[in-house]
Amino acid sequence: MMPASLVVWILTALLIVGVLTQRWWEPRLEARGVPVRRWPWRWWLVGYPETTLRIFLTWRRLAYLNGLSVSMRPNNRVIGRDLVVQGTALRPKPPRLSWPVPTKTGLMLRVQLHPGQTPAPYYAAARAMEHAWRVHSVRVTSPRRGQVIVQVTAMDPLKGDVPETRSPAPVLLAADVGRVEDGEPWLIDLRRVPHWLVTGATQSGKSSLLASLVLALAPQPVALVGIDCKGGMELGLFGGRLSALATNRTQAVGLLGGVVEEIQARMGVCRALGKRSVWELPEPDRPVPLVVIVDELAELYLSDGSRESRDEAEQCGTLLLRVAQLGAALGVHLVIAGQRVGSDIGPRVTALRAQLGGRIAHRAHDEASAEMTLGDINPDAVVTAQNITEDEQGVAVAAMGGRWMRARSRLVTTADAAAIARTDPPVNPFLTQPDPVTFDKDGVAA
């Protein structure tokens, strides 16, 4: 059997040779499509061994201080529950750790629970693990009985600008809009989660996220419809790629009314062919998917007190709710952005929020705003959203299906926006004619 010291010397020699010949082999691997430069060499060679050593050195004491250990009591000389009159001292036994498996931004390890233990103390001890192991964050989950998974992020992958390179959409209506906290692409899949709510304070990154979404959906055969009651300053940048754009509430009422008519027309097609969803239709007969993007929701609900303004706001609330309730199976999707989504905006906002399964919360000015977006998903997600600072523009907490994660959207440049504006939308995306709101290629009302 080879001595351990010889193994260490061989590995060290190979590492030195690899570093000295890096200029030779790195460009050759890059030319063959191997992304060597994006591999976290420093973390794998230095950070991972150091963090692993720190985990094993501190685990026994960390488990004892945070109530994760179980005292192994002697079989005799014990009176009552906690009174020891004679014998050896009680020895707290920490849970058994698996060997940490390295990832791109940290590591993952499994903890075997003692009989009778629950994952709750481990959730509470996550912050203590961060400090003891000197890492950026620790996430604890329990996917199966008797085990917890500890996901360690050693460094914040959301710092700095998100790379401009985007992975191609794996399926229709999937958009790569940035990067999540484990270093993987941030995908918003509208087929999986049909409707999304995006909240955050001014200059927190909402508009950047919407722009990233439009940029990712622009090459796909998808009709994009915009409602931007700030005069079209945000969505108007995408010009002719939008099949329709409303720049005030009056236009928004007409546009949403047309979308509801489109939904009813698609219902008729599905009913005639005996299908429950447009996705069950043959591809030649399937209508073009339609994504309705609303920037600054409050502008649709606020009223100046006049009867006409109140009626218009109520119409908007009713139409949006109908689109959210009926559109998912018919290829019509909602992405709504706003600073707040509370009942103080309008009478139907709470019902609309309940229909939006995907939630994205950027930096908020108060706890109530984060609570409105993420409170029914997970209380820890609310706390994480509140900790986003003003220097972390574009960073958000994304939640869906009870799961949540930190993510950062990609910055869309002026050149990207100009390229989108020159892209043509799908031909005849609506079954109903004419389109709800018609605009020419320059974004001016026809």
Side-chain angles (χ1 to χ4, degrees):
M1 184 175 180
M2 186 178 296
S5 59
L6 182 58
V7 174
V8 172
W9 279 107
I10 292 176
L11 293 178
T12 304
L14 291 175
L15 178 61
I16 293 174
V17 172
V19 171
L20 293 177
T21 60
Q22 181 179 3
R23 292 185 179 181
W24 178 83
W25 54 261
E26 185 178 81
R28 285 167 173 77
L29 290 178
E30 289 281 352
R32 296 190 177 188
V34 181
V36 179
R37 294 180 183 176
R38 294 204 296 268
W39 290 353
W41 291 107
R42 180 175 177 81
W43 161 246
W44 286 344
L45 297 177
V46 180
Y48 167 69
E50 180 182 351
T51 305
T52 299
L53 180 62
R54 192 177 294 122
I55 288 174
F56 283 112
L57 289 178
T58 61
W59 178 243
R60 177 175 291 275
R61 183 166 180 79
L62 187 148
Y64 174 72
L65 293 176
N66 290 274
L68 308 181
S69 299
V70 173
S71 297
M72 308 305 293
R73 301 177 183 277
N75 294 329
N76 50 22
R77 299 186 181 89
V78 179
I79 299 177
R81 178 177 176 83
D82 295 309
L83 179 61
V84 180
V85 296
Q86 188 177 356
T88 59
L90 298 180
R91 295 183 178 180
K93 182 179 180 181
R96 183 162 53 88
L97 286 178
S98 69
W99 184 261
V101 178
T103 61
K104 287 183 179 180
T105 58
L107 54 87
M108 185 270 293
L109 51 89
R110 298 177 184 270
V111 182
Q112 193 73 32
L113 300 182
H114 289 299
Q117 273 193 319
T118 64
Y122 293 84
Y123 300 149
R127 294 300 301 275
M129 296 177 192
E130 293 174 4
H131 290 279
W133 300 339
R134 301 174 191 173
V135 294
H136 171 68
S137 66
V138 171
R139 179 78 63 83
V140 178
T141 58
S142 181
R144 56 180 300 182
R145 304 296 184 187
Q147 282 187 354
V148 297
I149 304 297
V150 180
Q151 191 77 34
V152 177
T153 303
M155 62 204 81
D156 189 358
L158 305 183
K159 282 188 176 180
D161 295 330
V162 178
E164 293 187 7
T165 55
R166 294 177 297 277
S167 58
V171 293
L172 181 66
L173 288 172
D176 177 5
V177 297
R179 182 170 59 191
V180 295
E181 60 186 348
D182 60 1
E184 296 298 321
W186 180 11
L187 290 179
I188 294 180
D189 190 348
L190 295 174
R191 286 286 303 275
R192 184 179 178 186
V193 183
H195 307 310
W196 286 79
L197 173 64
V198 182
T199 63
T202 304
Q203 299 295 319
S204 64
K206 298 191 306 297
S207 297
S208 295
L209 176 58
L210 295 183
S212 297
L213 180 65
V214 173
L215 179 64
L217 293 177
Q220 303 183 31
V222 174
L224 302 176
V225 171
I227 299 176
D228 183 1
C229 291
K230 295 184 294 184
M233 290 191 304
E234 299 292 346
L235 298 181
L237 298 175
F238 307 119
R241 181 56 183 87
L242 301 181
S243 297
L245 174 65
T247 58
N248 57 54
R249 190 165 59 189
T250 302
Q251 293 178 358
V253 171
L255 191 153
L256 290 172
V259 172
V260 171
E261 291 179 5
E262 175 69 15
I263 289 174
Q264 293 171 343
R266 296 185 180 199
M267 283 181 182
V269 172
C270 291
R271 185 170 56 249
L273 297 177
K275 305 297 183 182
R276 296 186 299 177
S277 166
V278 295
W279 305 110
E280 298 178 4
L281 297 174
E283 190 169 349
D285 300 329
R286 185 184 305 156
V288 175
L290 176 62
V291 180
V292 181
I293 303 174
V294 181
D295 192 10
E296 207 53 66
L297 177 68
E299 292 295 326
L300 297 180
Y301 285 86
L302 296 180
S303 169
D304 60 9
S306 65
R307 182 178 181 84
E308 181 182 0
S309 179
R310 290 198 304 270
D311 290 345
E312 214 170 53
E314 189 170 343
Q315 276 185 290
C316 279
T318 301
L319 292 170
L320 277 174
L321 185 57
R322 293 194 67 190
V323 172
Q325 290 176 332
L326 304 175
L330 300 166
V332 180
H333 307 273
L334 270 178
V335 179
I336 292 179
Q339 295 188 33
R340 289 177 60 83
V341 285
S343 58
D344 55 326
I345 296 178
R348 289 180 173 81
V349 171
T350 303
L352 175 64
R353 184 178 62 201
Q355 298 291 328
L356 308 178
R359 308 289 179 84
I360 300 173
H362 293 79
R363 174 178 54 84
H365 290 310
D366 57 342
E367 180 182 357
S369 297
E371 182 73 28
M372 291 173 188
T373 310
L374 302 171
D376 53 350
I377 302 292
N378 192 299
D380 292 336
V382 177
V383 175
T384 303
Q386 289 181 265
N387 291 331
I388 299 174
T389 65
E390 294 183 358
D391 296 330
E392 297 177 299
Q393 187 174 7
V395 175
V397 175
M400 58 181 179
R403 297 176 58 251
W404 62 274
M405 58 189 174
R406 290 175 72 246
R408 187 167 197 162
S409 58
R410 184 177 292 105
L411 180 63
V412 176
T413 63
T414 305
D416 289 332
I420 296 173
R422 293 191 297 268
T423 305
D424 292 325
V427 179
N428 299 325
F430 296 95
L431 299 180
T432 56
Q433 295 294 332
D435 292 348
V437 181
T438 304
F439 283 77
D440 63 19
K441 301 296 287 185
D442 296 327
V444 180

